Amino acid sequence: MIDVAAARRRFPALSAAGPDGRPALHLDAPGGTQLLDAAIEAMASYLREGTANQHGAFATSERTDALCADVRGKVGAFLGSDPEGVVFGPNMTTLAFHLADALGEGLGEGDELVCTRLDHDANVTPWVAAAERAGASVRFVELDAATGTLDLSTLDSAVTERTRLIAFPGASNALGTLVDPAPFVEAARAVGALTFLDAVHAAPHVGLDRERMGVDVIACSPYKFFGPHAGLLAADPELLARLHPAKLRPAPDEGPERWQTGTASFEAIAGIGAAVQYLQKVGMEAIRDHERALSQRFLDGLDGLDHVRLHGPRDAAQRTPTFAVTVEGWKPEAVAETFAEQGIHVWSGLYYAVEPMRALGLLDAGGAVRIGFVHYHDEQDGDRALDALEQLANRQA
């Protein structure tokens, strides 16, 4: 069970007041959570004690080496992956492009890559670009707009003997839909293809284990799970060793640092370690149970709002506590602005989820309003958001 009051005390930003005097309600969590106190302190402590690049013969450099090794181990445990395959980067998007460039060298004309209509564009455009350079093509697993889930019958038709990689999400950053990796891994293995799992939205909500899932590569962003702005990629070290990433000549020729372009943000790495340690202490199972209860209460509340349409699964067990809604008579941007006046922070628009919004018919209609909870939210926070939605029925847009 999550002690929400205790959890909130770990996030300094949650104490700030909104424009109406009430505590600001940060329901923009899918775009980035608030930072954990221990992550903030870890970053500040690293900088206070003296920073240096790696592999020097002096104390501050040795401390940086030790930090990177320690956090690489923590991330490996968090993602269920060998630490020697953990790569630090500026964000998931950059890491995905870098990997796609390297994998693209092995693609040929007529080869195929598979993406889904549920993905964030960071798990689409890098593969499309790699395919275009190689004369390969991209096929898609389609989205069932009525349910907000992937139509797995189209996975069967998308995968062929020419498939070289299947990219899919662990959860949708737009709709909150959870995705079972098993069908994608099975389909990839049947034709000898690789799998790439975008776990950016899944990481704060569900436990991840790359090796247990059988996924070749997993990537996520610590700023979505209470850490700093950065990116993480975890893969089988042997896979990374077989590929040839673009790198500078003096950069290491082996190991995960071979994949890191330029000097890493060591203070961010310190913050990542603190965030991962916190999540493991709280427990992903406890987080999942708490968030499922939040989701169910919010779904029940939405059922009573005839002017609000939910896009995505209606079963709390099939989703994260992230909700995409549209409001009759209101543009998404206007809803977000009205919420902001009440100290409620939500996103409107596409949130880089181009393919889902296209499939839902919302791409040219301003997208949707995204309301997202994490474990430091409680039922009262959900009720406050529901009250704000209910008030829109009686207001002029």
Side-chain angles (χ1 to χ4, degrees):
M1 179 179 292
I2 301 292
D3 182 339
V4 176
R8 282 178 168 162
R9 289 195 290 272
R10 301 296 307 275
F11 296 89
L14 298 182
S15 63
D20 63 357
R22 292 184 292 175
L25 183 51
H26 298 271
L27 300 185
D28 57 333
T33 55
Q34 299 307 307
L35 247 70
L36 175 73
D37 56 1
I40 296 169
E41 176 54 31
M43 291 187 286
S45 177
Y46 173 78
L47 295 172
R48 274 198 304 265
E49 294 174 10
T51 181
N53 213 325
Q54 292 184 264
H55 310 312
F58 47 94
T60 47
S61 179
E62 290 172 347
R63 189 160 60 242
T64 299
D65 288 336
L67 168 71
C68 291
D70 177 65
V71 175
R72 192 167 268 118
K74 286 184 170 70
V75 171
F78 178 61
L79 297 178
S81 195
D82 188 328
E84 283 303 303
V86 171
V87 179
F88 300 119
N91 49 64
M92 176 268 179
T93 302
T94 298
L95 290 168
F97 269 116
H98 197 35
L99 181 67
D101 286 346
L103 285 171
E105 291 183 2
L107 293 177
E109 193 166 342
D111 285 340
E112 298 169 352
L113 308 179
V114 174
C115 297
T116 85
R117 301 290 187 194
L118 193 58
D119 269 290
H120 185 289
D121 206 50
N123 205 23
V124 177
T125 291
W127 311 117
V128 170
E132 288 177 347
R133 287 193 295 271
S137 60
V138 175
R139 299 164 69 91
F140 280 90
V141 180
E142 301 296 335
L143 177 66
D144 182 338
T147 64
T149 61
L150 290 170
D151 179 356
L152 293 182
S153 69
T154 65
L155 172 63
D156 295 335
S157 57
V159 177
T160 75
E161 293 297 324
R162 297 307 306 259
T163 301
R164 299 294 176 257
L165 176 134
I166 302 177
F168 62 97
S172 167
N173 79 304
L175 309 183
T177 309
L178 287 169
V179 177
D180 180 6
F184 298 89
V185 172
E186 182 179 348
R189 286 180 173 173
V191 296
L194 297 173
T195 47
F196 182 97
L197 171 61
D198 173 4
V200 172
H201 185 68
H205 304 293
V206 297
L208 299 166
D209 191 321
R210 183 192 69 79
E211 292 178 357
R212 179 181 56 79
M213 291 185 292
V215 173
D216 293 298
V217 186
I218 187 170
C220 59
S221 298
Y223 75 99
K224 301 293 180 75
F225 57 84
F226 320 112
H229 286 89
L232 295 170
L233 182 146
D236 182 342
E238 293 183 4
L239 169 62
L240 295 183
R242 291 198 305 268
L243 300 173
H244 302 283
K247 73 176 193 68
L248 301 182
R249 288 174 294 177
D253 291 321
E254 58 185 25
E257 290 175 30
R258 173 172 171 255
W259 287 83
Q260 293 171 197
T261 53
T263 302
S265 172
F266 301 121
E267 62 270 29
I269 291 171
I272 292 167
V276 167
Q277 192 168 2
Y278 167 79
L279 280 172
Q280 291 179 319
K281 183 176 181 180
V282 174
M284 297 309 299
E285 186 174 347
I287 287 174
R288 184 78 187 105
D289 290 345
H290 174 73
E291 293 181 347
R292 186 170 294 182
L294 280 180
S295 294
Q296 190 59 61
R297 184 180 179 96
F298 196 74
L299 288 166
D300 291 343
L302 288 176
D303 282 343
L305 302 178
D306 294 337
H307 62 297
V308 179
R309 181 181 178 185
L310 172 69
H311 303 274
R314 293 189 168 275
D315 183 349
Q318 293 184 312
R319 59 156 45 255
T320 69
T322 291
F323 303 87
V325 300
T326 47
V327 182
E328 185 178 350
W330 287 78
K331 293 181 179 180
E333 182 179 3
V335 174
E337 290 170 352
T338 300
F339 273 43
E341 294 169 0
Q342 303 171 59
I344 303 174
H345 304 181
V346 297
W347 281 109
S348 64
L350 307 179
Y351 3 101
Y352 287 78
V354 176
E355 296 300 334
M357 290 300 170
R358 190 197 315 276
L360 294 169
L362 298 174
L363 191 61
D364 298 319
V369 177
R370 184 176 63 182
I371 301 169
F373 304 91
V374 287
H375 75 281
Y376 54 57
H377 294 116
D378 60 17
E379 292 181 346
Q380 287 68 42
D381 295 329
D383 291 347
R384 184 172 162 190
L386 289 167
D387 288 343
L389 285 170
E390 185 175 14
Q391 293 169 20
L392 297 177
N394 303 314
R395 291 185 56 180
Q396 186 73 29

